[in-house]
Amino acid sequence: MSQNRTINIGINDQDRESIAEGLSHLLADSYTLYLQTHNFHWNVTGPQFRELHLMFEEHYTELATAVDEIAERIRTLGYPAPGTYKAFAELSSIKEVDGVPTPTEMLELLTDAHEQVVRTCREVLGTAQDADDESSASLISDRMVIHEKTAWMLRSML
């Protein structure tokens, strides 16, 4: 652990470590999705340009806040938050995209990525719930709601 003082928030060391590890995967997925969404915002073309450009901006702006909240929760648990492209690439379940996809492919890729974030949330949510870590569970649950809704909205455009 990187702190001098013992953390005594009612969650044992092993559970805090497991939750922080799961949150690190969620952070990596979220940051990778942020980059992908920002990339698509910059590079989208076609008849739906304005609508998709603005929607992608809304999404990456929301994700920028989310990654900060997730990283701060990891720090609250007493562990360092991953913060490099290398770490995110190793931890993320979302693969980077080469080239510039078509607008329809962008929607499909983002739908898949949001659904992956939901699955990552479900994995770490159980760990947090088992440890009675309501703060992490609440954060994760809130993230699930946002990603499920975003995936639904993206699917509806296909």
Side-chain angles (χ1 to χ4, degrees):
M1 190 167 69
S2 62
Q3 296 183 358
N4 296 333
R5 290 183 45 95
T6 301
I7 296 175
N8 185 10
I9 58 173
I11 305 168
N12 70 49
D13 292 347
Q14 183 178 350
D15 286 340
R16 281 188 300 102
E17 182 176 14
S18 295
I19 296 163
E21 183 179 321
L23 287 171
S24 293
H25 287 279
L26 178 57
L27 177 59
D29 281 358
S30 299
Y31 200 89
T32 303
L33 177 56
Y34 164 82
L35 287 174
Q36 189 175 84
T37 305
H38 214 152
N39 175 21
F40 293 171
H41 164 78
W42 290 326
N43 290 300
V44 69
T45 59
Q48 289 183 296
F49 167 79
R50 180 166 170 73
E51 180 181 6
L52 294 177
H53 183 75
L54 293 174
M55 182 180 67
F56 295 161
E57 183 175 10
E58 290 172 10
H59 293 178
Y60 78 69
T61 301
E62 192 282 326
L63 283 161
T65 301
V67 296
D68 195 53
E69 291 172 357
I70 296 164
E72 288 176 356
R73 183 63 193 160
I74 294 167
R75 294 297 299 136
T76 300
L77 293 170
Y79 292 89
T84 65
Y85 291 120
K86 180 180 178 183
F88 290 148
E90 291 171 0
L91 291 167
S92 182
S93 304
I94 298 170
K95 301 303 174 208
E96 291 189 30
V97 176
D98 292 324
V100 178
T102 66
T104 298
E105 290 168 335
M106 288 177 181
L107 291 170
E108 290 170 345
L109 288 162
L110 290 173
T111 299
D112 291 345
H114 280 278
E115 290 175 346
Q116 177 57 56
V117 174
V118 172
R119 292 190 302 274
T120 300
C121 284
R122 288 192 191 289
E123 289 177 23
V124 68
L125 180 61
T127 304
Q129 288 171 330
D130 290 346
D132 291 328
D133 179 0
E134 186 59 37
S135 298
S136 293
S138 176
L139 171 68
I140 296 160
S141 180
D142 289 349
R143 297 305 316 148
M144 286 175 64
V145 170
I146 290 165
H147 291 287
E148 288 172 344
K149 184 174 182 179
T150 303
W152 160 62
M153 290 182 171
L154 290 165
R155 275 192 310 272
S156 72
M157 295 183 73
L158 291 170

